[in-house]
Each structure stands twice: as C-alpha cells, then as structure tokens.
Amino acid sequence: MYEELTELFEQYRNEDNANQMERYMKNHFSFLGIKSPERKKLTNLYFQETKILKQNFDPKFVKALWNMEEREYQYVALDYIERSLRNVTKDDIKLMEYLITTKSWWDTVDMLAQKPIGKIMMESPVLIEVKMEQWSIDVNMWLRRTAILFQLKYKEKTNASLLYDYILRNADSKEFFIQKAIGWALREYSKTNPESVRNFIQNHELAKLSIREGSKYL
C-alpha cells in the first residue's frame, strides 16, 4: 500500500529543500524536500484515499515506512501512529522499541516517548517494571531519553518518585540529549507541581543545562 505514497511524494521532490532539511538535521538523514505543511496535506490525502485509518493498526506498514530512505516516510509513520493511537496497545511495545532504536534522533524519539509509549505505560503500568526500568539505564541513549520523557503529558498523574529516580540515574550523563530531556521533563512537571520540582532541583546535583531548562517556570 505504501507504493501509492511513494508515487505521490515523488511528484513533490525538491532538491533545494532537501539540501536545507538535511543540513538542519546534521546530515543524519536523506530528505525528499517536502516541507511539513505540504507533507501533512499529502499525508492526509493519502489517508483519505486509502482509508488506512479505518483499518486495524498495521505494524508492517509502519516498519515499511521506517525502513525507507527518506526521512519524510518516517514522519508519515509517526502521523499514522498518532492518528491510530486509540488502537495502539501493549502488544505494540516491541515495535515502538524498534522505532526508538532505529534511525534515532529527537524528531522521531520525542513523539514516540510522549504519545504511544506514554499511552501504553498509562494503560499497562506493569510494563514500567518490565521496560522502563531497563530503558532508564540502557546503553542506548534514546531509550534512556524515552524513560525520562514518557510521563511528559501526565500532569497530575505523574509518578514523581519514578520521574526523579530516572532523572537521578542519568544526572551525571554528559549527553546533550539526556541533559535536555531532564530539563524538559522537570519544566513540564513544574507546571503541575512547581514546589516539588523546585525542591528537587535545589537538593540534587544536575547539569547546568538541566537546571536552566527545568527552572524556566519556577
């Protein structure tokens, strides 16, 4: 089914845009050069014509898109996951782990952490002990980032002790994306419980970047 998508996208290939987009992403990925507004319109057209969103969630479709060269196809996979979120279940955790650890960068990992992983862990908290505990100390930086960020939209449902535990496990990391994730998670939770976050920052040794990001609303 994704062949129809490639035919559609190829009509809008733009090398000048592609070069700019590749530079922005540090040349980690190839691009067709379809900018976000146009890509979303084309994706919506594809979804409407194929009626794929009315069918069962299809991990094979997601993987097929993920394995394609140009980055726009991974973005379509993310759009598909987000639009199918109600049908994503704990059975899809292995797929999500594959997506997080393959072609990894912030532009894909952060959506996966907040939305499908956040939903799965909210609905199946037993998986926190099975997956998040391991991910929070995994050698893969992007799994650790996911463990720190998966509660990002939980607000008052945030398990603060779990959040702080995962942060402390990574507090000495020199990785920019880990330090940034810590700050982002703290900043977001500070909207719900500023006193808790303030006390945590004051009483623990964190990277300057994490403190700066985490304190923005305090």
Side-chain angles (χ1 to χ4, degrees):
M1 185 178 288
Y2 59 87
E3 290 88 351
E4 299 170 33
L5 181 66
T6 60
E7 290 179 9
L8 179 62
F9 273 16
E10 282 295 337
Q11 297 175 39
Y12 293 85
R13 183 185 283 273
N14 184 309
E15 294 299 331
D16 289 337
N17 287 347
N19 290 334
Q20 295 174 20
M21 295 162 82
E22 287 164 11
R23 285 197 298 271
Y24 177 71
M25 295 301 289
K26 310 295 185 184
N27 294 309
H28 286 296
F29 310 103
S30 299
F31 281 82
L32 290 165
I34 305 173
K35 292 188 175 181
S36 182
E38 188 170 42
R39 188 196 77 243
K40 289 180 178 178
K41 289 180 182 178
L42 295 174
T43 301
N44 285 335
L45 177 63
Y46 171 75
F47 287 162
Q48 290 169 9
E49 290 184 346
T50 60
K51 296 181 171 56
I52 191 171
L53 296 177
K54 295 183 179 179
Q55 302 168 24
N56 292 333
F57 181 67
D58 187 355
K60 290 182 180 179
F61 174 67
V62 173
K63 272 198 171 183
L65 292 175
W66 215 259
N67 292 331
M68 296 179 75
E69 181 178 358
E70 290 88 0
R71 194 60 163 171
E72 285 91 344
Y73 294 113
Q74 282 90 71
Y75 296 155
V76 174
L78 294 180
D79 289 340
Y80 173 70
I81 291 170
E82 184 171 8
R83 300 278 290 274
S84 307
L85 206 56
R86 67 186 181 280
N87 297 320
V88 172
T89 71
K90 64 181 180 180
D91 295 334
D92 298 306
I93 189 67
K94 287 185 178 180
L95 171 66
M96 300 306 160
E97 184 170 0
Y98 171 81
L99 302 181
I100 291 166
T101 56
T102 307
K103 299 188 177 180
S104 311
W105 202 241
W106 61 266
D107 59 332
T108 55
V109 171
D110 291 357
M111 179 276 185
L112 294 166
Q114 296 176 65
K115 295 191 176 177
I117 296 298
K119 175 183 185 288
I120 290 169
M121 296 304 150
M122 177 72 78
E123 293 178 349
S124 305
V126 67
L127 283 179
I128 293 174
E129 293 183 10
V130 177
K131 287 293 183 181
M132 291 299 107
E133 285 293 308
Q134 193 275 321
W135 288 10
S136 70
I137 56 172
D138 200 276
V139 294
N140 186 295
M141 172 186 71
W142 299 106
L143 289 176
R144 298 202 310 276
R145 183 174 169 98
T146 298
I148 294 166
L149 293 178
F150 84 92
Q151 297 189 87
L152 202 66
K153 301 303 181 184
Y154 280 19
K155 298 182 179 180
E156 68 280 351
K157 294 181 180 178
T158 299
N159 182 330
S161 62
L162 192 70
L163 172 64
Y164 296 152
D165 188 19
Y166 290 175
I167 286 174
L168 291 176
R169 292 180 188 184
N170 291 276
D172 61 351
S173 175
K174 301 296 189 273
E175 290 282 359
F176 169 83
F177 287 110
I178 295 297
Q179 294 182 3
K180 189 82 169 180
I182 290 171
W184 187 13
L186 290 172
R187 183 174 76 244
E188 196 67 21
Y189 187 48
S190 76
K191 298 175 184 177
T192 299
N193 197 337
E195 192 61 30
S196 175
V197 173
R198 185 180 296 108
N199 289 336
F200 179 78
I201 290 175
Q202 290 175 348
N203 291 296
H204 296 89
E205 188 171 338
L206 302 172
K208 291 180 180 179
L209 173 59
S210 300
I211 295 171
R212 184 167 66 249
E213 291 291 324
S215 301
K216 281 189 175 179
Y217 299 135
L218 297 177

